[in-house]
Amino acid sequence: MRGPFRAGAAVVVLTAALAACGSSPSPAPHPGGAPEAAGTGATPPPHASSVPRDPADPSAPRTTEPPRIPVEQLTPATGSFTGKQKEYLTDRVPRGMDPAAVLQTGQETCDRLRYLVKADRDVAVGALLTGEIADAEPAIEHLCPQRRDLLRDAARGYPDGTFQGSRLRPGRYRVVSPTEGCAWRITGADGTPLAEGGGTDDGKRTVLTLGRDARAFTSTGCYAWLPEGDLG
């Protein structure tokens, strides 16, 4: 009998394997993010806790954002950046930080996605959908655009939570990873129960159908749901 398996744990294990086998000399960024996000990338550079007001304009509000290096000044210690790399770095490099280090963070996001796709594509999409790989969209857009399909699929799925109204898209959905602790419920008008269920420990992925009469969908302990085929 297969024990409960959480996709979040799978992402951690796969990422650890990537860190051990990859060629990058620095550690992969720590995952994080909020479950409502459908697209995400590596952890952004640390921000200064406070920046004084401009002496020339005392009325200007304080900001926690440090000044950024202008794009025309983005140069590595050796060599040069490509056009796409500069696009990724634009407005992302605080003064005093090596732009190559910021670029490496984005490249590590692409490396992580490549490894996860090879191991289990659904887990890769789930990591974007739940925010485990935060701020991934700019890295994908400029550094690994071949992964845009992952963002597209993540935008069509559901993480754990409650969804209503325009957030509901009729169709069939499969859970990213089978887990015994998964519980879900679909309700109609006035909270009328339409369908509910739980996970299994037999390795089979639960599939549910959101009908056009659904008014709310709640998922707990299921991690993420992805569409089965074209939702139309």
Side-chain angles (χ1 to χ4, degrees):
M1 183 73 69
R2 175 173 176 171
F5 172 80
R6 288 302 299 267
V11 173
V12 173
V13 172
L14 291 171
T15 303
L18 172 60
C21 301
S23 59
S24 175
S26 64
H30 183 71
E36 282 294 326
T40 28
T43 303
H47 291 165
S49 58
S50 177
V51 176
R53 288 187 176 92
D54 184 351
D57 184 8
S59 65
R62 290 182 182 273
T63 174
T64 59
E65 293 290 332
R68 307 296 187 179
I69 299 178
V71 63
E72 62 273 11
Q73 297 179 18
L74 291 173
T75 56
T78 59
S80 60
F81 293 125
T82 67
K84 286 296 183 182
Q85 289 172 338
K86 277 195 172 184
E87 288 176 7
Y88 172 75
L89 292 171
T90 299
D91 295 328
R92 299 180 64 84
V93 186
R95 288 193 179 277
M97 178 170 282
D98 182 1
V102 178
L103 176 63
Q104 183 172 340
T105 299
Q107 291 172 330
E108 286 173 350
T109 294
C110 292
D111 290 342
R112 183 179 179 188
L113 286 171
R114 182 177 65 251
Y115 188 86
L116 290 176
V117 167
K118 184 177 180 180
D120 187 326
R121 186 182 184 279
D122 278 3
V123 170
V125 177
L128 295 175
L129 172 59
T130 61
E132 284 196 50
I133 302 181
D135 199 29
E137 187 171 354
I140 292 174
E141 183 65 27
H142 301 298
L143 304 178
C144 48
Q146 69 273 23
R147 304 299 177 195
R148 287 173 180 162
D149 60 314
L150 302 181
L151 286 175
R152 179 200 65 205
D153 290 352
R156 298 163 68 228
Y158 295 99
D160 279 334
T162 297
F163 305 90
Q164 305 178 61
S166 61
R167 293 296 310 275
L168 296 180
R169 296 173 294 275
R172 285 169 56 83
Y173 294 84
R174 67 184 181 277
V175 72
V176 166
S177 244
T179 170
E180 195 174 10
C182 171
W184 57 272
R185 181 182 178 90
I186 301 171
T187 55
D190 301 320
T192 303
L194 298 179
E196 60 183 9
T200 65
D201 61 354
D202 59 5
K204 295 181 180 179
R205 294 192 175 184
T206 302
V207 177
L208 60 80
T209 299
L210 278 178
R212 297 191 179 280
D213 54 347
R215 295 295 179 269
F217 168 54
T218 299
S219 169
T220 304
C222 302
Y223 182 67
W225 298 85
L226 300 180
E228 286 269 279
D230 189 0
L231 296 179

